């Protein structure tokens, strides 16, 4: 009804254009493959309804820092273990202890075992309590809570830190 008679007449240039367009659209619709309903349901089921954060550990750390707790960060190598209490609001290390310290090396010859980690935890707690720090949260630094990491945490708890 809205089409003019000249558009439908194949003898005119605009009629030929319209006819060619209609043929192209019909061919494009005919070439589309049917979509399998089970495939679409499998794709829809695999998608998570809520987007997940790519770096959730970073956001958790920032939220806890804004809450006022300092972070007890632990890192280890094959021969040594290190603990730091960090104030993330100031990006500063407040207290640190490790098996690399001279006093700890004199007490414990091997710094790569659980006994050394417990000693470092107790030493870290003593230094923290001297500076008035009583509550921290434990940052495993991506390592499992097992072995030397757990021993350092237990030593810090024995020394008086709460986390």
């Amino acid at each position: 009804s809205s089409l003019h008679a000249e558009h439908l007449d194949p003898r005119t240039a605009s009629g030929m254009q319209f006819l060619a367009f209609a043929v192209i659209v019909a061919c494009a619709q005919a070439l589309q493959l049917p979509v399998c309903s089970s495939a679409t349901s499998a794709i829809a089921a695999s998608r998570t309804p809520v987007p997940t954060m790519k770096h959730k550990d970073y956001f958790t750390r920032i939220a806890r820092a804004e809450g006022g707790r300092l972070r007890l960060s632990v890192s280890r190598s094959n021969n040594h273990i290190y603990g730091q209490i960090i104030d993330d609001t100031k990006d500063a290390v407040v207290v640190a202890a490790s098996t690399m310290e001279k006093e700890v090396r004199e007490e414990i010859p091997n710094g790569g075992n659980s006994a050394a980690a417990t000693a470092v935890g107790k030493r870290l707690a003593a230094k923290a309590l001297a500076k008035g720090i009583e509550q921290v949260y434990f940052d495993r630094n991506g390592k499992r809570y097992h072995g030397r990491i757990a021993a350092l945490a237990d030593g810090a708890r024995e020394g008086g830190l709460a986390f």
Side-chain angles (χ1 to χ4, degrees):
S1 62
S2 65
L3 297 174
H4 297 296
E6 64 187 34
H7 288 297
L8 297 176
D9 189 11
R11 292 174 288 178
T12 63
S14 61
M16 289 299 285
Q17 290 174 349
F18 178 76
L19 188 60
F21 179 73
V23 169
I24 291 172
V25 169
C27 289
Q29 287 177 348
L31 290 176
Q32 288 182 351
L33 298 174
V35 178
C36 180
S37 62
S38 63
T40 57
S41 63
I43 292 171
S46 68
R47 291 187 184 144
T48 56
V50 179
T52 57
M53 288 189 280
K54 189 173 183 181
H55 304 287
K56 66 181 173 82
D57 294 339
Y58 169 76
F59 292 106
T60 304
R61 188 175 76 223
I62 295 302
R64 286 182 176 162
E66 290 171 353
R69 278 198 178 198
L70 302 180
R71 173 168 56 113
L72 170 56
S73 177
V74 178
S75 58
R76 65 178 169 86
S77 67
N78 286 340
N79 298 323
H80 298 285
I81 191 159
Y82 314 89
Q84 298 177 331
I85 296 180
I86 302 168
D87 186 357
D88 285 317
T89 58
K90 299 175 184 174
D91 289 333
V93 175
V94 181
V95 178
S98 74
T99 54
M100 295 287 291
E101 295 175 351
K102 187 175 182 180
E103 296 84 17
V104 176
R105 260 194 276 162
E106 290 173 357
E107 291 175 19
I108 300 169
N110 182 9
N113 58 19
S114 293
T118 304
V120 169
K122 288 178 181 176
R123 185 172 174 80
L124 189 65
K127 287 181 177 182
L129 291 174
K131 289 204 174 187
I133 300 167
E134 295 175 358
Q135 282 194 334
V136 295
Y137 74 91
F138 192 66
D139 179 12
R140 299 174 288 116
N141 231 351
K143 307 282 192 233
R144 288 187 305 162
Y145 188 80
H146 173 77
R148 292 188 288 157
I149 303 293
L152 190 139
D154 292 339
R157 280 193 194 98
E158 288 174 20
L161 282 179
F163 54 89

Coordinates of all heavy atoms in Angstrom, one line a residue, residues 131-163:
K131 N 54.6 -2.2 68.7 CA 54.1 -1.0 68.0 C 52.6 -0.7 68.2 O 52.0 0.2 67.5 CB 54.4 -1.1 66.5 CG 55.9 -1.0 66.2 CD 56.1 -0.6 64.8 CE 57.6 -0.3 64.6 NZ 57.9 0.3 63.3
G132 N 51.9 -1.6 69.0 CA 50.5 -1.4 69.3 C 49.6 -2.0 68.3 O 48.4 -1.7 68.2
I133 N 50.1 -2.9 67.5 CA 49.2 -3.6 66.5 C 48.8 -4.9 67.1 O 49.6 -5.8 67.5 CB 50.0 -3.9 65.2 CG1 50.5 -2.6 64.6 CG2 49.2 -4.7 64.2 CD1 51.5 -2.8 63.5
E134 N 47.5 -5.1 67.2 CA 46.9 -6.3 67.8 C 46.1 -7.2 66.8 O 46.0 -8.4 67.0 CB 46.0 -6.0 69.0 CG 46.8 -5.3 70.1 CD 45.9 -4.9 71.3 OE1 44.7 -5.0 71.2 OE2 46.5 -4.4 72.3
Q135 N 45.5 -6.5 65.9 CA 44.6 -7.3 64.9 C 45.1 -7.1 63.5 O 45.4 -5.9 63.1 CB 43.2 -6.8 65.0 CG 42.4 -7.4 66.2 CD 41.0 -7.1 66.0 OE1 40.6 -6.2 65.3 NE2 40.2 -8.0 66.7
V136 N 45.3 -8.1 62.8 CA 45.7 -8.1 61.4 C 44.8 -9.1 60.6 O 44.0 -9.8 61.2 CB 47.2 -8.5 61.2 CG1 48.1 -7.4 61.8 CG2 47.5 -9.8 61.7
Y137 N 44.9 -9.1 59.3 CA 44.3 -10.2 58.5 C 45.5 -10.9 57.8 O 46.4 -10.2 57.4 CB 43.2 -9.7 57.6 CG 43.5 -9.0 56.4 CD1 43.8 -9.6 55.2 CD2 43.6 -7.6 56.4 CE1 44.1 -8.9 54.1 CE2 43.9 -6.9 55.3 CZ 44.2 -7.5 54.1 OH 44.5 -6.8 53.0
F138 N 45.3 -12.2 57.6 CA 46.4 -13.0 57.1 C 46.3 -13.1 55.6 O 45.3 -13.5 55.0 CB 46.3 -14.4 57.7 CG 47.5 -15.2 57.5 CD1 48.7 -14.9 58.1 CD2 47.4 -16.4 56.7 CE1 49.8 -15.7 57.9 CE2 48.5 -17.2 56.5 CZ 49.7 -16.8 57.1
D139 N 47.4 -12.7 54.9 CA 47.5 -12.8 53.4 C 48.5 -13.9 53.1 O 49.7 -13.7 53.3 CB 48.0 -11.4 52.9 CG 48.1 -11.4 51.4 OD1 47.7 -12.4 50.7 OD2 48.8 -10.4 50.9
R140 N 48.0 -15.0 52.6 CA 48.8 -16.1 52.3 C 49.6 -15.9 51.0 O 50.5 -16.7 50.7 CB 47.9 -17.4 52.0 CG 47.1 -17.8 53.2 CD 46.2 -18.9 52.8 NE 45.1 -18.5 52.0 CZ 44.9 -18.9 50.7 NH1 45.7 -19.7 50.1 NH2 43.9 -18.4 50.0
N141 N 49.3 -14.9 50.3 CA 50.0 -14.6 49.0 C 49.8 -15.6 48.0 O 50.8 -16.0 47.3 CB 51.5 -14.3 49.3 CG 52.0 -13.0 48.8 OD1 51.3 -12.4 48.0 ND2 53.2 -12.7 49.1
G142 N 48.7 -16.2 47.9 CA 48.4 -17.2 46.9 C 48.8 -18.6 47.3 O 48.6 -19.6 46.5
K143 N 49.5 -18.8 48.4 CA 50.0 -20.1 48.8 C 48.9 -20.8 49.6 O 48.1 -20.2 50.3 CB 51.2 -20.0 49.7 CG 52.3 -19.2 49.0 CD 53.1 -20.0 48.0 CE 54.3 -19.3 47.5 NZ 54.4 -19.1 46.1
R144 N 49.0 -22.2 49.7 CA 48.0 -22.9 50.5 C 48.3 -22.7 52.0 O 49.5 -22.6 52.4 CB 48.1 -24.4 50.2 CG 47.5 -24.8 48.9 CD 47.5 -26.3 48.7 NE 48.8 -26.9 48.9 CZ 49.0 -28.1 49.1 NH1 48.0 -29.0 49.2 NH2 50.2 -28.6 49.3
Y145 N 47.3 -22.7 52.8 CA 47.5 -22.6 54.3 C 47.9 -24.0 54.8 O 47.1 -24.8 55.2 CB 46.2 -22.2 54.9 CG 46.3 -21.9 56.4 CD1 46.8 -20.7 56.8 CD2 46.0 -22.8 57.4 CE1 47.0 -20.3 58.1 CE2 46.1 -22.5 58.7 CZ 46.6 -21.3 59.1 OH 46.8 -21.0 60.4
H146 N 49.2 -24.3 54.7 CA 49.7 -25.6 54.9 C 51.2 -25.4 55.2 O 51.9 -24.6 54.7 CB 49.5 -26.5 53.7 CG 50.1 -27.8 53.7 ND1 49.7 -28.8 54.5 CD2 51.3 -28.3 53.1 CE1 50.4 -29.9 54.3 NE2 51.4 -29.6 53.5
G147 N 51.8 -26.3 56.0 CA 53.2 -26.3 56.3 C 53.8 -25.1 56.9 O 53.3 -24.7 58.0
R148 N 54.8 -24.5 56.2 CA 55.4 -23.3 56.8 C 54.5 -22.1 56.9 O 54.7 -21.3 57.8 CB 56.7 -23.0 56.0 CG 57.8 -24.1 56.1 CD 59.0 -23.6 55.4 NE 58.9 -23.6 54.0 CZ 59.7 -22.9 53.2 NH1 60.6 -22.1 53.7 NH2 59.5 -23.0 51.9
I149 N 53.6 -22.0 56.0 CA 52.7 -20.8 56.0 C 51.8 -20.9 57.2 O 51.6 -20.0 58.0 CB 51.8 -20.8 54.7 CG1 52.7 -20.7 53.5 CG2 50.8 -19.6 54.8 CD1 53.5 -19.5 53.3
A150 N 51.2 -22.1 57.5 CA 50.4 -22.3 58.7 C 51.2 -22.2 60.0 O 50.8 -21.7 61.0 CB 49.7 -23.7 58.6
A151 N 52.5 -22.7 59.9 CA 53.4 -22.6 61.1 C 53.6 -21.1 61.5 O 53.6 -20.7 62.6 CB 54.7 -23.3 60.9
L152 N 53.9 -20.3 60.5 CA 54.1 -18.8 60.7 C 52.8 -18.2 61.3 O 52.9 -17.5 62.3 CB 54.5 -18.1 59.5 CG 55.0 -16.7 59.7 CD1 56.2 -16.4 58.8 CD2 53.9 -15.7 59.4
A153 N 51.7 -18.6 60.8 CA 50.4 -18.0 61.3 C 50.2 -18.5 62.8 O 49.8 -17.7 63.6 CB 49.3 -18.5 60.4
D154 N 50.5 -19.8 63.1 CA 50.3 -20.3 64.4 C 51.3 -19.6 65.4 O 50.9 -19.3 66.5 CB 50.5 -21.8 64.4 CG 49.4 -22.5 63.7 OD1 48.3 -21.9 63.5 OD2 49.7 -23.7 63.3
G155 N 52.5 -19.4 64.9 CA 53.5 -18.6 65.8 C 53.0 -17.2 66.0 O 53.2 -16.7 67.2
A156 N 52.5 -16.6 65.1 CA 52.0 -15.2 65.3 C 50.8 -15.2 66.2 O 50.7 -14.3 67.1 CB 51.6 -14.6 63.9
R157 N 49.9 -16.2 66.1 CA 48.8 -16.3 67.1 C 49.3 -16.5 68.5 O 48.8 -16.0 69.5 CB 47.9 -17.4 66.7 CG 46.9 -17.0 65.6 CD 45.8 -18.1 65.4 NE 45.1 -17.8 64.2 CZ 45.3 -18.5 63.1 NH1 46.3 -19.4 63.0 NH2 44.7 -18.3 62.0
E158 N 50.3 -17.4 68.6 CA 50.9 -17.7 70.0 C 51.5 -16.5 70.5 O 51.6 -16.2 71.7 CB 51.9 -18.8 69.9 CG 51.4 -20.2 69.6 CD 52.5 -21.2 69.4 OE1 53.6 -21.0 69.8 OE2 52.1 -22.3 68.8
G159 N 52.1 -15.6 69.7 CA 52.8 -14.4 70.1 C 51.8 -13.3 70.5 O 52.2 -12.3 71.1
G160 N 50.5 -13.5 70.2 CA 49.5 -12.5 70.6 C 48.8 -11.7 69.5 O 47.9 -10.9 69.8
L161 N 49.0 -12.0 68.3 CA 48.3 -11.4 67.2 C 46.9 -12.0 67.0 O 46.8 -13.3 67.1 CB 49.0 -11.4 65.9 CG 50.2 -10.4 65.7 CD1 50.8 -10.6 64.3 CD2 49.7 -9.0 65.8
A162 N 45.9 -11.3 66.7 CA 44.6 -11.8 66.4 C 44.2 -11.6 65.0 O 44.3 -10.5 64.4 CB 43.5 -11.1 67.3
F163 N 43.9 -12.8 64.3 CA 43.4 -12.7 62.9 C 42.6 -13.9 62.6 O 42.5 -14.9 63.4 CB 44.5 -12.6 61.9 CG 45.7 -13.5 62.0 CD1 45.6 -14.7 61.3 CD2 46.8 -13.3 62.7 CE1 46.6 -15.6 61.3 CE2 47.8 -14.2 62.8 CZ 47.8 -15.3 62.1

